[in-house]
Amino acid sequence: MAQPTLVFNYDISCPFAYIASTRVKALADRTNAKLIYRPVLLGAIYRATAAPQGAAGSASDVFNPTKKSVTAQSMQRTLKRYKIKYSPPPEHPRKSVNALRLLYCVPDGDERRLLTERLFAAYWANKEDVTNTEVLLSIAKETGIPSASALSEESFASAEARKELERATAEAIERGAFGVPGFWIPEARWTDVSGDTNTGRFFWGQDRMHFVEATLLSLRNNGQWKDVPGLATLMPRCIAHNQSQLSRKVRLEFWYDFSSPWAFLGYTQLPRLQRAFGANLEIVMKPFLLGILFREIGAPNMPMLAISPTKAAWSRQDHADWTAYWNAVNASQGSKDKEIAFHWADVFPIRTPTVLRVAIVEPSTVPLLYSACWEQNANVSDESVLVDELDKAGYNGTDLVTRANDPAIKNKLRVNTAAAKAAGICGVPTYRVLHQDGNSGWQTCGSLVWGQDETNVVEDLIAGWDPNSSSQLAEPQKAKSGAKGASRL
């Protein structure tokens, strides 16, 4: 096949685009893709998509304190996993328009790549003033790129560079961008959540780069992720899949509420983790009331209504992508688990107090209850429907619901919810990994992991990766050792 193309959209003022910039060339090399560096104006994207933080803000500006803390810890962990130097400027965000225009004054390819990498380092590692045009010109000359000799103060006023930056930004917005980093694969053919067939695929986020890689690799055959060798190994790991045997007991806490479609996806992967790590892994289910937690920490009861319409549309597609990805991983490994047949609930949000209490009374109902919520489209908020679903599965639904309404069970759910708040949880699913020490006690390994999209981090923590001391680099395992060991997860 012809060499595929990968367009990388970024603004040097975004720390997540900075992280992506340290990984994107290796991804392009692994997939034999032609990499095009296409900087865009993040503020203009925010403005065009009505981002709640405004054109000059950062996404975290609108986070509640608990979510800010969790995401800050996640950011630090990510930087450690990829061994990235990080020393942000105190005045962040700084205006980057002149730096971005300068990038369009040099040709794409190695010159723009080298200048991009140096500008990212200037902003995020070296505390250089990228708003100063003299500093920018000095940085360009330091790269040694041939075009640097022709750059001057007049370059920042270049009408051609300005128009190209505006054109790139408009292209990104049209393709569905609401932030950076963005990745565009023009040759990809795919079907969206509406059932429409499209040519050209946009992905967002440095933590979705395994989707980008899987899509590029799938172009070699029929465009199906399930046919990509070693698909599960594309999510970067610090500890190789085939080195994940546990020599001591490990406990994985899974904090959840049935009301979240994301927690449902996380739940579907627990059997895979159990198989991978064996009997020494103990998975502990931690049900709690997400709506009460949201109220306590100042989060919106329906987070999707607090983001831009463009991001909301992407989130729905992103969920479909994750469903497809986990199904493809399952299929590529012999279909050891039931295929995920996800269905968005017609009645949403789902009221789950009674459902959660039933799960506390009878933990064996959890698979049934999750499937009822997110595969069968059963309105389990209605107690009669809940009873019927339990009866159809062979349980005594009336008895379970009666027991679930016992004051002691109600109190247990309240205690779990208070514990979630005390632990610093901001959403679901949230994972906490604990390792057994020499005295049969339990020591927490790493901080809370929020989101099923960080399952690879959970796997590393289970396998013994220590974010505070490890020197291991996170990378797609297939890139280092082929598909060997891929069947273990």
Side-chain angles (χ1 to χ4, degrees), residues 210-221:
H210 61 291
F211 288 170
V212 176
E213 187 160 0
T215 301
L216 288 167
L217 291 172
S218 74
L219 294 176
R220 299 175 182 175
N221 43 55

Side-chain angles (χ1 to χ4, degrees), residues 244-461:
S244 297
Q245 293 293 329
L246 299 180
S247 59
R248 57 179 177 173
K249 295 285 186 181
V250 178
R251 179 177 293 165
L252 171 62
E253 294 178 349
F254 182 77
W255 295 77
Y256 72 100
D257 187 328
F258 291 109
S259 64
S260 167
W262 295 102
F264 166 67
L265 283 186
Y267 171 75
T268 67
Q269 298 310 300
L270 295 183
R272 182 176 62 85
L273 297 183
Q274 189 72 75
R275 284 196 306 274
F277 294 103
N280 274 342
L281 176 65
E282 175 193 11
I283 298 176
V284 179
M285 304 295 287
K286 306 287 282 188
F288 72 96
L289 281 165
L290 183 61
I292 299 299
L293 176 73
F294 280 167
R295 186 180 67 194
E296 292 285 323
I297 67 175
N301 189 49
M302 292 185 64
M304 289 282 282
L305 299 181
I307 58 179
S308 70
T310 305
K311 187 171 184 179
W314 168 84
S315 183
R316 195 175 180 97
Q317 181 62 55
D318 186 48
H319 192 282
D321 290 341
W322 277 105
T323 302
Y325 176 76
W326 290 130
N327 277 335
V329 167
N330 183 40
S332 70
Q333 297 172 357
S335 299
K336 297 176 182 178
D337 298 312
K338 182 178 73 69
E339 181 172 303
I340 304 167
F342 183 81
H343 187 292
W344 284 99
D346 289 340
V347 179
F348 188 81
I350 304 171
R351 290 190 69 258
T352 56
T354 305
V355 189
L356 290 164
R357 295 199 299 266
V358 167
I360 293 173
V361 169
E362 183 48 76
S364 67
T365 62
V366 171
L368 158 70
L369 296 172
Y370 254 131
S371 182
C373 289
W374 295 111
E375 291 183 318
Q376 307 306 320
N377 194 28
N379 181 20
V380 293
S381 300
D382 183 329
E383 197 167 287
S384 64
V385 174
L386 174 59
V387 168
D388 185 56
E389 291 295 317
L390 292 166
D391 286 344
K392 286 190 297 185
Y395 294 96
N396 185 328
T398 300
D399 177 66
L400 279 178
V401 170
T402 299
R403 292 162 60 192
N405 287 324
D406 184 274
I409 299 301
K410 290 182 176 181
N411 185 61
K412 175 64 175 174
L413 186 56
R414 285 194 293 267
V415 168
N416 281 4
T417 305
K421 180 184 177 183
I425 289 173
C426 71
V428 293
T430 290
Y431 307 80
R432 183 161 59 184
V433 177
L434 303 97
H435 285 250
Q436 194 172 53
D437 60 26
N439 299 316
S440 297
W442 295 94
Q443 298 293 327
T444 302
C445 180
S447 55
L448 296 172
V449 180
W450 171 45
Q452 66 87 42
D453 53 353
E454 289 207 275
T455 304
N456 55 331
V457 177
V458 175
E459 293 175 40
D460 275 337
L461 292 174

Side-chain angles (χ1 to χ4, degrees), residues 162-184:
R162 176 178 59 79
K163 288 180 180 179
E164 196 61 22
L165 179 58
E166 291 174 351
R167 187 178 299 116
T169 304
E171 284 175 354
I173 293 168
E174 183 180 359
R175 291 165 179 168
F178 53 88
V180 292
F183 306 90
W184 175 252

Side-chain angles (χ1 to χ4, degrees), residues 144-196:
I145 58 176
S147 299
S149 59
L151 299 175
S152 67
E153 289 287 343
E154 285 71 32
S155 300
F156 301 106
S158 165
E160 183 178 351
R162 176 178 59 79
K163 288 180 180 179
E164 196 61 22
L165 179 58
E166 291 174 351
R167 187 178 299 116
T169 304
E171 284 175 354
I173 293 168
E174 183 180 359
R175 291 165 179 168
F178 53 88
V180 292
F183 306 90
W184 175 252
I185 305 171
E187 296 90 353
R189 289 182 59 81
W190 60 290
T191 303
D192 61 26
V193 291
S194 300
D196 296 329

Side-chain angles (χ1 to χ4, degrees), residues 461-477:
L461 292 174
I462 293 172
W465 176 68
D466 186 344
N468 296 316
S469 61
S470 176
S471 61
Q472 292 162 301
L473 175 69
E475 57 184 333
Q477 297 300 318

